[in-house]
DNA sequence: TTGTATGCGTTATCAT
DNA sequence: ATGATAACGCATACAA
């Protein structure tokens, strides 16, 4: 391993001068800077991140906290795209990425302890239970944090436009002539509350009836509970003509229940998904769903985090809302409007 | 930030003793060790990874290289599971995880340079072009490496049993009475070559005819090319009765082409996927496919890498083959055997 | 059993 | 413009 000390010896300069030259400091002559850089390159010099971090207390390393209830973790479709976008943009901006966990060296550590131990310059949080004490603690640790799909007062955040997304879906169904629209929603989270609120408000604004039974709980990414919810809706005395699902996977569970009953989509009942995952556009009938641009969200999270880190105490937390896009498929029937 | 120096001052011991006590060294009395640990805990002491790494040249950090041609990266279904399993097991074993990229601090770095810069103790490689010079360079860097689905002489490797998987699928089709079996395979990679070889060998052993036209190339995860390949097969004078696809997503492309022609699965033509992704078991007809246990593969890669790191020069590269599991769905018809 | 001293590779301060 | 030196936090060889 070649160090600046060895370069210094080889060139006849001091380590101080070598360090400055390599970091492009102004107070070193262009000539010697050139000579030193050449020697460094020839000798195969590489800086040592640990030494640099120790000295400057900057790691140029971001911590990533991605955990979810279902323990889908990195295999979660939405979040794997977030991570993907975050990673690419962070690397462009000069930061590496590591995962934060609740253990270090085999021993239990809090997230905050882990982050301090590794001296992360900043942290992105997604896909977790934001009421978790350990997460709240991390958020308040003083380390710059950007959260995804949740807002803390003192952190930047990148948010999928859930309110707009649900509004667009319901409005689309309305325009297609639907007047009895039901919402199978996910378990209680901040995202779910936003979506449910948007659903109720949009229905009210459109003058739609909102029987309590048209709001049915299920579990995100779980076809099973979505099927049960669907059964409940179909057995209502006055069943809906259109069902909105919490995500595209849940949609599949609903679809199966519908077909099991000999009903057809969209002939007998119309349905809509959420997320716009790849397979949603591959199967027939093509799914009507709302595509979330998760890659873009990840990129924006990286940019916001860099801003938070580099602006330091003067940073004003950004609230970035990323709009989705309605993918008009073939699962919503065009109805004659009821009298 | 509290350091061992501050603990030393607070307890009246030297930094050396504090360091030893905190690391559970034998040559420190149980009593003082206890006192020191108590003080450390009370003062909120946390070790500093950079300082430790600088001193010991061990980072307890693994580098992960996950890139693929399609740039699906982390959103690739198979690889996101590998990463997930790797992450969990590595954390249990006391290692953190960071991504390796070809840039550091915004400047271009080779993978090897990046790995040296961060002083990774070990590296896992998956999902890349293994002929890439930068990858080969990393493999030969001297840093312990474990590869997924590829073998280098001097590295450990974890392999999906592609030979056994294809054998099982073909044999299953044979048992179901199929005698004209076609294979739509992915682009040329090591995995593809193993699968094609297994396909040919199994057909030969079963005494099946193997017309050249029954081997059709497509692209992994691309429904489009799979559809084209399917069209070619269906238009053959003697079309196959069963088609094996390179993955479950490609299967969908094939299915769409089949249905577009008014044919039904499995009534008119039987089909099989590969991977066993979640949605493959949700849609009807349920897919017959081969489930790869990618999470397990990731875990085993972590264990193998720890072994490589800790055994040092005495490490003998392991070749771990992980068997898949045939998921018997509803897409392969039971045929009367032709005379 | 405990303490002293040194150095890991780097950056930063202050002289020269 | 360049260099001597200290310090970042920690682990360890060796002395006491």
């Amino acid at each position: 391993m070649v160090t600046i000390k060895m370069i210094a010896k080889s060139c006849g300069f001091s380590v101080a001068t070598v360090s400055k030259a390599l970091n492009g400091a102004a107070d070193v002559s262009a000539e010697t800077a050139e000579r030193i850089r050449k020697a460094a390159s020839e000798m195969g010099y590489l800086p040592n991140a640990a030494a640099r971090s120790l000295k400057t207390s900057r790691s140029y390393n971001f911590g990533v906290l991605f955990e979810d209830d279902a323990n889908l973790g990195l295999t979660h479709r939405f979040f794997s795209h977030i991570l993907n976008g975050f990673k690419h943009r962070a690397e462009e901006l000069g930061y590496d990425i590591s995962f934060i966990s609740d253990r270090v060296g085999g021993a239990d550590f809090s997230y905050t302890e882990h982050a301090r131990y590794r001296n992360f310059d900043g942290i992105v949080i997604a896909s977790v239970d934001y009421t978790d004490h350990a997460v709240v603690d991390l958020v308040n640790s003083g380390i710059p944090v950007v959260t995804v799909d949740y807002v803390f007062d003192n952190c930047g955040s990148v948010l999928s436009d859930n309110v707009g997304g649900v509004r667009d879906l319901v409005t689309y169904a309305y325009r297609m002539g639907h007047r009895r629209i039901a919402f199978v929603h996910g378990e209680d989270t901040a995202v779910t509350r936003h979506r449910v609120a948007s659903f109720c408000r949009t229905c009210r604004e459109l003058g739609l009836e909102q029987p309590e039974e048209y709001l049915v709980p299920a579990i995100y990414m779980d076809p099973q509970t979505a099927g049960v919810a669907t059964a409940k809706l179909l057995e209502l005395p006055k069943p809906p003509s259109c069902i909105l699902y919490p995500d595209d996977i849940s949609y599949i569970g609903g679809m199966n229940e519908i077909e099991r009953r000999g009903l057809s989509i969209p002939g007998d009942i119309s349905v809509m998904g959420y997320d716009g995952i790849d397979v949603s556009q591959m199967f027939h009938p093509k799914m009507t769903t709302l595509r979330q641009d998760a890659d873009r969200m990840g990129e924006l999270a990286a940019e916001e985090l860099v801003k938070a880190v580099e602006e330091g105490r003067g940073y004003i937390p950004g609230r970035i809302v990323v709009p989705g896009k309605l993918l008009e498929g073939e699962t919503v029937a065009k109805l004659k409007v009821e009298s």
Side-chain angles (χ1 to χ4, degrees), chain A residues 101-124:
Chain A
S101 66
D102 53 8
R103 47 199 319 160
V104 168
D108 289 349
F109 263 53
S110 74
Y111 296 139
T112 304
E113 288 170 335
H114 190 163
R116 288 208 192 294
Y117 170 71
R118 288 286 178 192
N119 192 27
F120 294 132
D121 291 336
I123 289 161
V124 63

Side-chain angles (χ1 to χ4, degrees), chain A residues 228-303:
Chain A
V228 173
T230 303
K232 255 188 224 154
L233 286 170
L234 295 178
E235 284 164 9
L236 248 33
K238 222 176 166 184
S241 67
C242 182
I243 304 177
L244 171 52
Y245 287 95
D247 56 77
D248 296 342
I249 296 291
S250 297
Y251 159 99
I252 297 173
M255 182 192 74
N256 286 335
E257 178 64 23
I258 288 167
E259 295 186 342
R260 206 178 59 74
R261 289 167 179 257
L263 301 176
S264 85
I265 297 172
D268 298 306
I269 177 108
S270 296
V271 287
M272 300 185 290
Y274 210 102
D275 282 353
I277 63 175
D278 53 3
V279 296
S280 76
Q281 303 305 296
M282 294 176 186
F283 279 101
H284 295 292
K286 211 198 295 183
M287 204 184 298
T288 296
T289 183
L290 198 118
R291 172 156 163 62
Q292 305 199 80
D293 196 348
D295 281 283
R296 183 78 190 122
M297 288 176 67
E299 292 174 8
L300 289 167
E303 292 173 15

